[in-house]
């Protein structure tokens, strides 16, 4: 396939082993996820590097996409008034009006998409007169998921 004018060459993709890839598109060039490639728009050539799946991941095809996928999954939760359970099963209770980072990518992020899960705690107190402490009137937990795909070029 050849890219023709009027689009500038930077809009043209790459041919690799009989497949066409869009500029900037990343893909595994082998069935073992050991060679990661990207279509370089400026040269219309594919650039590959030797790599492998990270610990806890396996190379497989899911919904037609070959990639490194987790071997197992863990769950964390925020519920109630306010109860948190971490990925490793530890339990915590927090009070107050706060925003907590519940989950996210940390450590070596090479090859991983950035994401964050934040939880917002909102408590309302009813103030009573005298020396009586405030009484918790209502409480809510809201969770927002922030998923940002960052280009690694």
């Amino acid at each position: 396939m050849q890219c023709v004018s009027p689009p500038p060459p930077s809009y043209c993709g790459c041919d690799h082993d009989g497949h066409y890839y869009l500029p900037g598109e990343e893909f595994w060039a082998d069935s073992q996820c050991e060679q990661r490639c990207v279509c370089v728009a400026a040269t219309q050539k594919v650039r590959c590097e030797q790599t492998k799946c990270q610990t806890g991941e396996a190379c497989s095809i899911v919904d037609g996409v070959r990639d490194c996928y987790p071997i197992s999954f863990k769950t964390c939760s925020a519920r109630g008034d306010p109860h948190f359970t971490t990925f490793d099963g530890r339990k915590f209770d927090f009070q107050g009006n706060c925003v907590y980072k519940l989950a996210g990518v940390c450590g070596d992020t090479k090859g991983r998409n950035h994401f964050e899960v934040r939880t917002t705690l909102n408590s309302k107190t009813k103030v009573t007169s005298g020396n009586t402490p405030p009484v918790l009137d209502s409480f809510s937990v809201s969770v927002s998921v922030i998923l940002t795909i960052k280009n690694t070029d």
Side-chain angles (χ1 to χ4, degrees):
M1 181 178 281
Q2 181 179 359
C3 189
V4 294
S5 292
S10 62
Y11 289 107
C12 298
C14 306
D15 284 316
H16 184 76
D17 288 342
H19 297 280
Y20 178 77
Y21 296 95
L22 296 171
E25 185 174 359
E26 294 185 17
F27 60 95
W28 292 101
D30 66 321
S31 63
Q32 300 300 312
C33 296
E34 294 176 348
Q35 190 174 34
R36 186 77 174 162
C37 301
V38 63
C39 172
V40 180
T43 62
Q44 296 176 20
K45 303 272 186 216
V46 170
R47 182 183 73 230
C48 299
E49 65 179 37
Q50 292 299 118
T51 189
K52 62 180 180 177
C53 294
Q54 297 186 9
T55 302
E57 295 179 333
C59 183
S60 60
I61 299 172
V62 175
D63 295 329
V65 178
R66 178 178 309 282
D67 208 346
C68 295
Y69 294 98
I71 295 170
S72 64
F73 296 90
K74 299 283 184 172
T75 301
C76 68
S77 66
R79 61 179 177 74
D81 62 345
H83 305 293
F84 294 90
T85 305
T86 62
F87 288 108
D88 60 2
R90 295 174 61 196
K91 297 182 186 301
F92 297 92
D93 296 317
F94 295 108
Q95 301 293 329
N97 295 325
C98 303
V99 176
Y100 293 101
K101 182 176 178 179
L102 189 60
V105 175
C106 59
D108 180 12
T109 60
K110 184 177 182 195
R112 299 196 185 269
N113 291 327
H114 174 80
F115 80 96
E116 287 184 1
V117 177
R118 294 182 182 196
T119 181
T120 303
L121 304 179
N122 296 311
S123 63
K124 297 178 183 175
T125 56
K126 177 172 56 180
V127 179
T128 57
S129 61
N131 293 331
T132 318
V135 176
L136 187 61
D137 184 31
S138 66
F139 184 81
S140 67
V141 175
S142 64
V143 176
S144 62
V145 177
I146 302 164
L147 177 62
T148 306
I149 307 297
K150 293 185 178 178
N151 190 351
T152 57
D153 278 348

